[in-house]
């Protein structure tokens, strides 16, 4: 930070990034339906309103079901993929891994529309289940990236040592591999959960008549008097995301420290 | 030592990694109760050969037998071998006792008996009372001991050690060498050690297989290996050896006459040519300690050649001299033990050097 211009740029960047988020809690506690300064009295009634809106409760329930299922599924798939790609050499490995990681950079709208076309073509009804499928698709690359770090910082001779001492391949995985990559697994579940929870486009296209939290929020933006409650909801969501990502990063780092590897980056 | 039954037999073992020919026809026998070393430069296939014993590496052709049984269809977890890994592979999430007792999980003995076995194993490697420590908080030497105890607790027929001392500092390494020898005598198990350190192999082993590029170049006890290396390459890898060009001038019942690079005509015994040479151009080799610089008034027991000191390297207890012997076209290295009252010679000093044809080795 030697250059004043760079410092100003950094400050401006952070402001631009976080100012809108800072506005969320400000208006969530503001006693007025119009989102504008000057602020009126302090209130918690928007938070109370959240708990007495049945449609919101249903959206939260849908979102939780989707986020829990897709984070567990994506992480399970990620474990197999990461294990295979760090331990074995097989023909076409680079290509296969590349294909799996592709959704990471593909525009989500493309993924959503193509999924919609396929699902409709197959005659599958749009429900929370179809959203889970879509979310597994976009969460798996993140899960693999996290789990790859966990698996590749695991000394291979640890598994060989357990096998050498009479364990089977499976009990070696259960007794040695799994506990040592567990921090990575927890981190993967939490990050997938967070991604799924606030994902909008796929949920919008594939949810049918079942709203998720983000699509519900979007539908409520048309009603001005609902906006303060959405602000309150947003505040809760931001807080939850930050907490989950912090825990995820904690586990990722602890995993690396425990297996004696060096940190090769991560998402935070 | 000589009549022990075989424990491990390699029969023309070949191993390919894709196109790379890592093991090129290994045939050798390791005897029961032996401290056996695989010695060679990095990348020569020592670890690969060790892993074919453990069962981590399949072989492309040939056979590996352990205690008379073919190992082709026996997986690593069913073989009567245990391994001390180069990285030690201590399970970081388990305690010292849990690490050492890991192999007993499938043992039908009672919990109390297992605890006793773990305690005994820890005591054997000098870690009594360390059972409750966290494994990741141990020093290098302690991790090594835990790895040893963990591998020995199953009482394997063969203990495999892949460069177990390479991560330790010099002092610790020398101490562990002695401890490993003692331990091997105490448990009587066949030890197979992989090392690239010739001194370590000489100090510790009953027999050594010297490997180059996937082949065993020579398999002998340390003394034979040092005194009678069968090729210039082995001689060069183990210790220091002087080489002079030579010509074979005659052979007769058990004796070889050679013209040894400026030293004149000498007769040697056939056993001094372990590489089996057959006439013509050759090399003679001799170790630095088989030459002696003669002081005023001393006379040689055998042969004597005058020369000039060209280089002096002082090691405290020893001094290395490079001496150009009259009539020889290159300097030879001579090691002399330093003796009180006898000053180290200066560069340029004229001296006489004693040597003996019996100490020569003849190479192709
Ligand atoms: N899994 C493997 N795949 C391909 N090549 C290998 C593999 N393991 C070892 N090699 C190669 O085989 C040769 C011998 O390796 P290694 O047995 O580890 O040598 P050393 O232990 O004597 O240093 C080396 O050239 C190494 O690159
Ligand atoms: Mg090696």
């Amino acid at each position: 930070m030697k250059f004043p211009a760079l410092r100003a740029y950094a400050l401006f960047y952070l402001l631009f990034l976080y100012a809108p988020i800072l506005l969320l809690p400000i208006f969530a506690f503001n006693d007025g339906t119009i989102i504008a300064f000057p602020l009126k009295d302090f209130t918690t009634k928007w938070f109370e309103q959240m708990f007495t809106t049945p449609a919101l409760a249903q959206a939260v329930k849908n979102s939780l079901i989707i986020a829990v299922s897709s984070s567990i599924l994506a992480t399970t798939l990620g474990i197999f993929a990461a294990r295979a790609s760090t331990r074995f050499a097989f023909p076409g490995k680079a290509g296969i891994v590349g294909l799996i990681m592709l959704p990471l950079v593909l525009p989500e709208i493309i993924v959503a529309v193509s999924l919609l076309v396929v699902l409709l073509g197959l005659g599958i009804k749009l429900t929370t289940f179809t959203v889970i499928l879509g979310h597994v698709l976009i969460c798996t690359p993140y899960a693999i990236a996290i789990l790859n770090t966990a698996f590749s910082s695991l000394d291979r001779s640890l598994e060989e040592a357990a096998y050498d001492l009479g364990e089977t391949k499976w009990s070696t995985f259960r007794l040695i591999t799994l506990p040592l990559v567990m921090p990575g697994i927890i981190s993967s579940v939490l990050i997938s959960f967070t991604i799924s929870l606030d994902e909008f486009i796929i949920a919008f296209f594939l949810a049918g008549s079942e709203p998720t939290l983000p699509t519900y929020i979007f539908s409520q933006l048309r009603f001005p008097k609902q906006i303060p409650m959405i602000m309150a909801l947003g505040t809760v969501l931001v807080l939850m995301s930050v907490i989950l990502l912090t825990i995820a990063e904690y586990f990722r780092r602890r995993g690396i420290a425990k297996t004696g590897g060096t940190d090769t980056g991560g998402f935070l | 030592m000589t009549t022990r039954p075989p424990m491990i037999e390699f029969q023309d073992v070949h191993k390919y990694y894709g196109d790379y020919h890592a093991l090129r026809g290994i045939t050798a026998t390791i005897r029961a109760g032996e401290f056996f070393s695989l010695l060679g430069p990095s990348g020569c296939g020592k670890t690969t050969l060790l892993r074919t014993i453990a069962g981590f590496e399949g072989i492309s052709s040939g056979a590996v037998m352990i205690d008379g049984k073919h190992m082709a269809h026996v997986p690593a977890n069913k073989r009567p071998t245990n391994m001390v890994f180069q990285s030690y592979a201590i399970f970081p999430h388990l305690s010292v006792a849990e690490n050492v007792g890991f192999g007993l999980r499938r043992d039908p003995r009672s919990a109390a008996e297992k605890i006793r076995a773990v305690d005994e194993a820890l005591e054997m490697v000098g870690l009594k009372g360390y059972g409750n420590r966290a494994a990741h908080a141990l020093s290098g030497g302690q991790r090594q001991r835990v790895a040893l105890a963990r591998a020995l607790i199953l009482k394997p027929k063969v203990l495999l050690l892949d460069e177990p001392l390479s991560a330790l500092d010099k002092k610790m390494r020398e101490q562990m060498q002695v401890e490993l020898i003692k331990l091997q005598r105490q448990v009587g198990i066949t030890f197979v050690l992989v090392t690239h350190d010739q001194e370590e192999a000489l100090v510790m082993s009953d027999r050594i297989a010297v490997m180059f590029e996937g082949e065993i170049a020579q398999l002998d006890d340390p003394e034979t290996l040092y005194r009678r290396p069968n090729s210039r390459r082995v001689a060069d890898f183990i210790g220091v050896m002087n080489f002079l060009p030579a010509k074979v001038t005659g052979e007769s019942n058990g004796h070889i006459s050679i013209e040894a690079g400026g030293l004149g005509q000498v007769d040697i015994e056939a056993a001094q040519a372990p590489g089996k040479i057959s006439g013509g151009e050759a090399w003679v080799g001799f170790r630095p300690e088989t030459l002696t610089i003669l002081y005023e008034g001393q006379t040689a027991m055998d042969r004597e050649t005058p020369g000039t000191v060209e280089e002096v390297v002082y090691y405290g207890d020893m001094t290395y001299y490079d001496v150009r012997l009259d009539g020889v076209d290159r300097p030879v290295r001579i090691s002399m033990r330093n003796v009180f009252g006898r000053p180290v010679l200066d560069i340029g000093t004229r001296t006489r050097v004693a040597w003996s044809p019996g100490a020569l080795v003849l190479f192709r």
Side-chain angles (χ1 to χ4, degrees), chain A residues 155 157 160 163-164 167 175, chain B residues 51 77 83 87 105-106:
Chain A
D155 179 2
S157 52
E160 284 178 345
Y163 190 56
D164 186 54
E167 294 301 327
L175 294 166
Chain B
R51 289 168 62 86
N77 59 350
M83 182 126 155
S87 62
R105 281 173 41 82
R106 283 154 199 276

Side-chain angles (χ1 to χ4, degrees), chain A residues 193-206:
Chain A
F193 182 89
T194 315
I195 291 170
S196 166
L197 196 65
D198 72 357
E199 199 286 329
F200 175 76
I201 302 175
I202 287 175
F204 186 74
F205 276 78
L206 302 185

Side-chain angles (χ1 to χ4, degrees), chain B residues 43 125 144 160 180 199 209 239 258 267 273 340 346:
Chain B
V125 296
Q144 145 113 78
L160 307 169
L180 269 179
E199 205 175 292
I258 54 171
D267 272 5
F340 178 73
D346 291 326

Side-chain angles (χ1 to χ4, degrees), chain B residues 294-363:
Chain B
L294 296 172
Y295 290 89
E296 210 72 32
Q298 279 184 316
T299 47
M301 308 259 282
D302 208 330
R303 301 286 193 104
E304 178 182 320
T305 307
T308 310
V309 176
E310 283 199 343
E311 189 64 73
V312 180
V313 184
Y314 180 72
Y315 273 92
D317 59 336
M318 304 279 293
T319 304
Y320 281 95
Y321 296 99
D322 286 347
V323 177
R324 189 176 289 270
L325 299 174
D326 295 354
V328 177
D329 65 349
R330 65 197 74 189
V332 296
R333 175 149 287 196
I334 302 173
S335 68
M336 294 289 293
R337 184 150 292 284
N338 291 328
V339 179
F340 178 73
R342 216 169 253 174
V344 172
L345 298 179
D346 291 326
I347 293 176
T349 311
R350 286 290 292 171
T351 76
R352 292 169 299 128
V353 173
W355 56 280
S356 164
L360 299 183
V361 191
L362 192 65
F363 301 107

Side-chain angles (χ1 to χ4, degrees), chain B residues 215-268:
Chain B
E215 283 175 302
I216 294 181
Q218 185 169 4
L219 197 170
D220 265 311
D221 62 273
E223 198 187 339
T224 309
L225 208 55
Y226 187 80
R227 277 178 9 101
R228 296 281 155 84
N230 65 7
S231 67
R232 292 182 63 192
R233 195 161 183 203
V234 171
D236 227 8
F237 191 74
I238 297 183
V240 179
M241 192 171 255
N242 294 295
F243 296 106
L244 295 177
K247 242 188 203 72
V248 177
T249 53
E251 277 177 86
S252 66
N253 56 355
H255 284 267
I256 306 174
S257 305
I258 54 171
E259 160 41 49
L263 290 177
Q265 193 72 28
V266 288
D267 272 5
I268 60 169

Side-chain angles (χ1 to χ4, degrees), chain B residues 107-136:
Chain B
D107 196 303
R109 279 182 282 175
S110 73
E113 282 174 298
K114 288 184 193 180
I115 290 171
R116 193 156 351 108
V118 169
D119 286 343
E120 276 169 22
L122 281 173
E123 188 165 355
M124 180 173 66
V125 296
L127 284 182
K128 196 177 177 191
Y130 279 66
N132 291 325
R133 299 268 184 107
H136 59 82

